[in-house]
Amino acid sequence: MTHRAPGADTVAAPHPPRPGVGITQQPIGAMELDQAVESVRSGPQGPHIAAVFDFGGTVVAGFDPPALMRRMVRRRAGRRTLAATLLGSIRGARSEGEYERFLQHTMYTWAGVPEAELEEIGARLFERTVHGHLYPEAWRLIREHEAAGHTVLLVSSLTRYQVRPVAEELGIEHVLCTAMSVQDGVLTGHVDGKPLWRNGKADAVRRFADAHGIDLSHSWIYADSAADLPLLQLAGQPVAVNPDPRVVLEAAEKGWPVLHFRPRQAPAALDYARTLAGFGGLLGGALFGVAAKAHTKQRRQMADSMLVHAADSTLRGSGVRVRVTGAEYTRAPRPAVFIFNHQSQFDIVVLTEVLDTGFTGIAKKEITKNPVFGPLMRFVEVTFIDRADKAAAKAALAPVVDTLRGGLSVVIAPEGTRSMTPRIGPFKKGAFHIAIQAGVPVIPVVIRNAGEIAWRNSAIVRKGVVDVAVLPPIDVSGWDPADMDAEVEAVRQLFVDTLLHWPKGES
């Protein structure tokens, strides 16, 4: 394997200052994400401490409305306009005039629209587009505050039709945003109460704190724009995130820490070029791998060779490196059921790099229709299941037990589908039933950053490093197949904890 990145303890070269801060190339108080995480871990704990996150620009990056309109569900012009209004404003207004124009346009456009339609559009837009613009750094900070027992609050001058889908994915219960007046399930075209802009947002957070017993003097508030200065000034621990020039000055004057999150940008020409190179490497490597072992006339040897060369060539072409901890658990014990968190189409390439040879997998039946991946996955004896037919899926999994008993390991994503964020979804029990029946251990493989390399529902691959932690094997021989909810949840929690507290060392 030639595409292992330097170890987790290697000190990387510092990133250049984020362009466009406007006032200074290196703002006073600039801090790394790990420093921000450590301040949360070492700070006050408990629900009386709040972690308040502004929405646009802090948790979610902005959008280019014209480009996004072409992606919308094209039922009718009015629906496209609604979608563009929902998306185009997510960046957040930078001036009072801009926000007033947003409100006027929104009230005019949404008047007479059923609330259920806006909720549906907002949810669909999140699944198709918005999820890719969530800052992973914000996701990590939210999880850290959650682990500290803090009351996490998402606040925005926008509406719940834009904010609520994000809050639900991030697991944030408390949301404050500008309310729109609704009568008989239809928007009236007016704001219900005071908009959460500038002082209005700060006042709403202050009222929330009073109602929930929050001590703002020891709480964190994360925000980015000058309009949020009244909000930031409420906190004992304000943090300027991706700050505009006015906030940079204020942070420098008051000694606030400053965080810069990696921009969430559309693919560049070089990303497309690397993707094509990676795809070419996949096909070329697969063909070479099969040819290299064709003389053996052994399908398994040809399949292993195909996987190894295809993964190596894909990583080489796309500029992706894989950094592994716990590599010793990939070699023994074998066979085993390897389970992994699934966020990207690129996961299978990463897993092949990590596991090397001697494994196959389970995939959804729809992949068989893919003219490239369908034949390749059939060749390596992947088991395909129909997720819509539980009885058929269960029957299809039965031969997997024989595969394991025959000495071949199996890779399964227990979430059942790709997640839209690093969040670990509920685990299905199929992988554990298979391991119990075959008498083999379960080995967790935790993948970090794969969603940054290839976003969900995107075929474009970006250059970068994927971290993988292979955890010690889990003996499931003593589990009761009829009562193992607690054990399965404990394994899921291992993934959650590993993503929060990434293990040191590298193999």
Side-chain angles (χ1 to χ4, degrees), residues 14-362:
H15 294 290
R18 175 176 171 266
V21 296
I23 300 299
T24 175
Q25 285 298 97
Q26 186 65 31
I28 296 173
M31 69 190 307
E32 297 296 324
L33 181 62
D34 286 344
Q35 293 175 287
V37 167
E38 183 55 37
S39 74
V40 175
R41 292 177 179 175
S42 61
Q45 312 282 295
H48 66 290
I49 303 297
V52 181
F53 289 83
D54 183 45
F55 181 70
T58 302
V59 171
V60 182
F63 296 85
D64 178 4
L68 287 164
M69 284 180 67
R70 294 193 289 270
R71 297 183 184 179
M72 297 305 107
V73 182
R74 297 182 179 274
R75 294 186 182 177
R76 55 185 177 86
R79 195 173 180 86
R80 292 201 303 272
T81 301
L82 292 173
T85 305
L86 283 167
L87 279 163
S89 55
I90 282 181
R91 175 181 62 86
R94 296 295 176 177
S95 68
E96 189 162 353
E98 188 178 345
Y99 184 67
E100 287 180 356
R101 287 191 294 274
F102 155 72
L103 274 185
Q104 291 171 1
H105 181 66
T106 298
M107 289 187 293
Y108 174 78
T109 305
W110 295 1
V113 175
E115 185 176 38
E117 184 173 2
L118 280 173
E119 291 173 344
E120 178 194 346
I121 294 173
R124 183 168 298 190
L125 288 176
F126 176 78
E127 293 175 0
R128 294 193 172 193
T129 304
V130 176
H131 75 271
H133 292 255
L134 291 174
Y135 287 114
E137 299 93 336
W139 180 89
R140 184 178 174 192
L141 285 169
I142 289 168
R143 297 284 77 85
E144 291 290 346
H145 282 288
E146 184 180 68
H150 296 163
T151 298
V152 180
L153 174 64
L154 186 61
V155 59
S156 176
S157 59
L158 303 178
T159 70
R160 72 183 188 87
Y161 314 111
Q162 295 141 307
V163 180
R164 178 57 66 179
V166 173
E168 290 177 354
E169 176 63 25
L170 293 175
I172 299 177
E173 177 185 356
H174 304 291
V175 178
L176 298 176
C177 49
T178 298
M180 305 302 290
S181 176
V182 178
Q183 186 172 353
D184 298 327
V186 176
L187 274 76
T188 65
H190 300 283
V191 174
D192 185 4
K194 186 178 180 180
L196 269 62
W197 168 257
R198 200 179 292 274
N199 290 326
K201 185 186 292 185
D203 290 343
V205 170
R206 190 181 292 107
R207 289 193 298 271
F208 177 89
D210 291 342
H212 291 80
I214 300 295
D215 179 5
L216 287 175
S217 68
H218 289 89
S219 295
W220 281 261
I221 294 181
Y222 301 85
D224 66 308
S225 73
D228 293 320
L229 286 174
L231 176 65
L232 285 164
Q233 290 163 358
L234 292 178
Q237 304 197 61
V239 182
V241 178
N242 306 326
D244 65 17
R246 173 74 185 283
V247 178
V248 170
L249 284 175
E250 191 79 8
E253 180 182 333
K254 297 188 175 179
W256 295 346
V258 176
L259 282 173
H260 289 302
F261 295 164
R262 182 180 177 183
R264 311 294 291 164
Q265 298 172 336
L270 192 55
D271 295 319
Y272 285 99
R274 289 197 186 100
T275 299
L276 288 173
F279 186 71
L282 172 71
L283 295 178
L287 292 172
F288 177 83
V290 172
K293 293 294 182 179
H295 66 279
T296 67
K297 298 182 180 180
Q298 298 294 317
R299 179 171 179 170
R300 189 66 245 166
Q301 289 191 40
M302 288 189 284
D304 283 344
S305 180
M306 183 191 78
L307 284 171
V308 169
H309 286 92
D312 187 71
S313 299
T314 302
L315 292 169
R316 186 190 305 275
S318 56
V320 176
R321 292 184 176 274
V322 179
R323 183 166 51 197
V324 185
T325 62
E328 64 272 20
Y329 301 124
T330 68
R331 296 185 288 271
R334 289 280 190 111
V337 173
F338 291 93
I339 58 173
F340 69 101
N341 53 310
H342 193 17
Q343 191 182 352
S344 166
Q345 298 182 68
F346 207 72
D347 289 343
I348 187 60
V349 176
V350 172
L351 288 166
T352 301
E353 173 75 1
V354 173
L355 300 181
D356 199 22
T357 61
F359 73 94
T360 184
I362 295 174

Side-chain angles (χ1 to χ4, degrees), residues 337 361-362 383 396-405 408 410 412 434 438:
V337 173
I362 295 174
T383 298
L397 290 176
V400 177
V401 175
D402 295 330
T403 297
L404 286 159
R405 288 172 177 167
L408 198 62
V410 173
I412 304 176
I434 290 169

